[in-house]
Amino acid sequence: MKYTIPKRIEQMTPYQPITGEYKIRMDANESYINLSKEQIDLVENKLNQLEYNRYPDPYAKDLCKAFAEYYGIDKNLVTAGNGSDEIISLIFSTFFEKSDIVGVFSNDFSMYRVYCETYGVNYKIIPKEKDLTIDVEKTIKFIEDENITALIFSNPCNPTSMGLEKEKVKYLLENTQALVILDEAYMDFWNESLLDEVEKYDNLIILKTCSKAIGLASIRLGFFISNERFTKVIRAIKSPYNVNSVTQAYGEVLLSNKEQLDNATKEIILNKNDLQEKMFLLKDKFSNLILEVYKSDTNFVFIRTDYAKEIFESLLSRSIAIRYMGDYLRISISNKIENQKLYDEMIDILTSISERGK
Ligand SMILES: *Cc1c(COP(=O)(O)O)cnc(C)c1O
């Protein structure tokens, strides 16, 4: 019989990143801080001793130990992946049966839905409140009413930038039988992590990434942290050499350098606070154009405006890339100079929109 591509995947389109050269990149939530000369020298030492002809350590033991020490958790609960994207993909491709239903919030990381569709996993959209927050009681009820067996969400949330407090996440975990996959990609910028309590729960998986606060988006490194039972499963289903030796070396060396990482995170948070203040100023000044600025617990700000497309395109024409999402704009934090530049350009764009309106 002739092969036909499943409809489900034939209709999919390849991921389209922003293309073109832009002077200022505030679109992908990466860290704006590149490695220092000292960090690169440290890694180089390690790389010089690498046996490039040999396969990597399948369990990335030294790397997972460095990660566990950085976050003060048990290394036996940590498994590394080729970016948390690989881990999300692995979970969706193997953890669910036909009868499972995954709950995904209306406003959340788009890859969750993409992987549900890729692997033919049933999913239901869980609504958020009008102000884009999560009502835990309603969520618990929705999970029950809709027979949802697993829930995945980002906390703090990409794209809304808002976090759900630890106590509320715990309440959710304790009042549902569903598996909860908690994506803490941005938790380094907030302080409500459940990492050090992961072992207490029989229904919790936490995901972490080195692509945001750690500043290593290029090397593709993420982590799966869970109890012994789920850890055994992920280790059994992952491909043995999923994290290459070069990535392992970078991760191990840089995660061992706590002070430098903590300082970078602090600096990003300060610049976030500053850019957020600037966005509030814009909202005061142009209250009919900027409708909402959400309280950010991440390294980006999220705003609602009816002029999102126009602002996005005007910024692009000025060589500043941000993320356009319907009625919203998502702007990743950069350094002081670039944040100021963005602010100045936005004032200019909003001024011309409001003058045109008169
Ligand atoms: C950026 C991001 C990730 C991606 O992590 P990688 O480790 O780079 O694959 C995962 N989850 C959320 C919510 C993100 O915003």
Side-chain angles (χ1 to χ4, degrees):
M1 281 243 291
K2 186 175 176 295
Y3 171 78
T4 51
I5 299 177
K7 274 218 176 56
R8 179 182 92 239
I9 58 168
E10 184 149 43
Q11 290 160 353
M12 293 177 70
T13 50
Y15 178 72
Q16 284 179 322
I18 290 193
T19 51
E21 290 285 314
Y22 300 100
K23 282 208 193 79
I24 298 183
R25 293 291 305 264
M26 302 173 83
D27 60 304
N29 292 351
E30 301 134 322
S31 173
Y32 62 85
I33 304 171
N34 200 354
L35 293 184
S36 65
K37 174 85 175 63
E38 296 79 55
Q39 286 175 309
I40 289 172
D41 288 345
L42 282 175
V43 178
E44 219 150 68
N45 252 332
K46 184 104 193 159
L47 290 179
N48 285 338
Q49 297 159 33
L50 230 167
E51 292 184 291
Y52 286 92
N53 56 320
R54 303 292 177 193
Y55 282 110
D57 170 7
Y59 298 112
K61 281 184 294 294
D62 295 341
L63 167 64
C64 290
K65 183 162 172 277
F67 176 90
E69 279 170 5
Y70 181 65
Y71 287 104
I73 58 173
D74 178 354
K75 65 179 191 304
N76 296 315
L77 309 177
V78 178
T79 306
N82 187 13
S84 50
D85 231 322
E86 184 209 13
I87 299 169
I88 298 169
S89 170
L90 270 175
I91 292 172
F92 279 106
S93 61
T94 54
F95 272 57
F96 304 118
E97 314 256 22
K98 280 270 166 289
S99 57
D100 282 306
I101 301 175
V102 176
V104 181
F105 283 106
S106 51
N107 263 292
D108 210 336
F109 188 42
S110 55
M111 293 312 292
Y112 306 149
R113 287 195 216 184
V114 170
Y115 283 124
C116 284
E117 279 158 20
T118 305
Y119 298 119
V121 174
N122 295 312
Y123 69 96
K124 280 201 175 129
I125 303 296
I126 309 175
K128 282 192 179 177
E129 299 302 291
K130 252 213 165 73
D131 62 4
L132 305 185
T133 58
I134 293 171
D135 181 317
V136 171
E137 289 291 357
K138 282 191 203 165
T139 302
I140 291 168
K141 185 161 188 315
F142 192 92
I143 289 174
E144 215 161 277
D145 292 348
E146 303 289 332
N147 300 314
I148 286 171
T149 48
L151 168 70
I152 184 164
F153 69 105
S154 56
N155 191 39
C157 173
N158 173 14
T160 71
S161 78
M162 293 183 286
L164 186 67
E165 291 78 8
K166 182 180 357 191
E167 285 312 313
K168 292 186 183 169
V169 180
K170 285 165 77 164
Y171 184 82
L172 172 65
L173 278 163
E174 285 155 16
N175 288 281
T176 181
Q177 301 204 351
L179 168 66
V180 176
I181 303 156
L182 183 63
D183 185 347
E184 292 194 349
Y186 299 94
M187 193 53 93
D188 302 277
F189 304 113
W190 206 33
N191 201 9
E192 296 284 326
S193 177
L194 272 180
L195 264 186
D196 58 352
E197 298 187 51
V198 71
E199 221 179 342
K200 286 190 200 159
Y201 295 94
D202 63 2
N203 61 339
L204 176 62
I205 292 170
I206 299 181
L207 306 179
K208 290 286 295 177
T209 177
C210 289
S211 301
K212 309 288 157 60
I214 311 291
L216 292 175
S218 63
I219 70 165
R220 310 306 303 126
L221 181 57
F223 293 91
F224 173 109
I225 307 95
S226 189
N227 58 39
E228 219 173 295
R229 193 162 155 250
F230 289 133
T231 298
K232 184 164 164 272
V233 172
I234 195 81
R235 289 185 183 173
I237 62 170
K238 79 179 189 66
S239 67
Y241 306 120
N242 60 327
V243 180
N244 73 69
S245 302
V246 176
T247 291
Q248 290 191 30
Y250 270 90
E252 186 198 338
V253 170
L254 299 172
L255 284 165
S256 304
N257 199 338
K258 186 168 169 59
E259 200 184 329
Q260 198 132 14
L261 290 182
D262 288 349
N263 288 341
T265 303
K266 272 185 212 142
E267 182 194 311
I268 295 168
I269 293 172
L270 286 177
N271 282 335
K272 187 278 301 288
N273 292 340
D274 181 58
L275 188 67
Q276 171 125 295
E277 279 310 310
K278 287 183 164 67
M279 292 298 120
F280 282 126
L281 289 178
L282 286 183
K283 181 169 175 278
D284 287 342
K285 200 163 151 60
F286 303 96
S287 56
N288 52 335
L289 303 181
I290 302 293
L291 303 175
E292 199 66 64
V293 177
Y294 297 89
K295 182 195 148 286
S296 168
D297 299 313
T298 60
N299 64 336
F300 57 90
V301 294
F302 195 57
I303 62 183
R304 183 162 71 85
T305 165
D306 293 337
Y307 296 85
K309 189 150 199 273
E310 183 169 350
I311 296 168
F312 165 73
E313 283 171 354
S314 300
L315 285 171
L316 269 193
S317 73
R318 296 160 194 231
S319 211
I320 302 177
I322 63 167
R323 190 67 195 274
Y324 160 62
M325 311 174 103
D327 295 333
Y328 303 98
L329 293 171
R330 195 194 68 191
I331 306 169
S332 312
I333 304 308
S334 188
N335 60 36
K336 283 201 166 53
I337 293 168
E338 295 192 348
N339 290 344
Q340 182 67 42
K341 173 92 174 136
L342 170 99
Y343 176 65
D344 293 341
E345 296 293 354
M346 279 188 79
I347 289 193
D348 194 50
I349 293 164
L350 292 167
T351 303
S352 73
I353 293 175
S354 64
E355 278 171 0
R356 185 186 66 203
K358 279 175 194 157

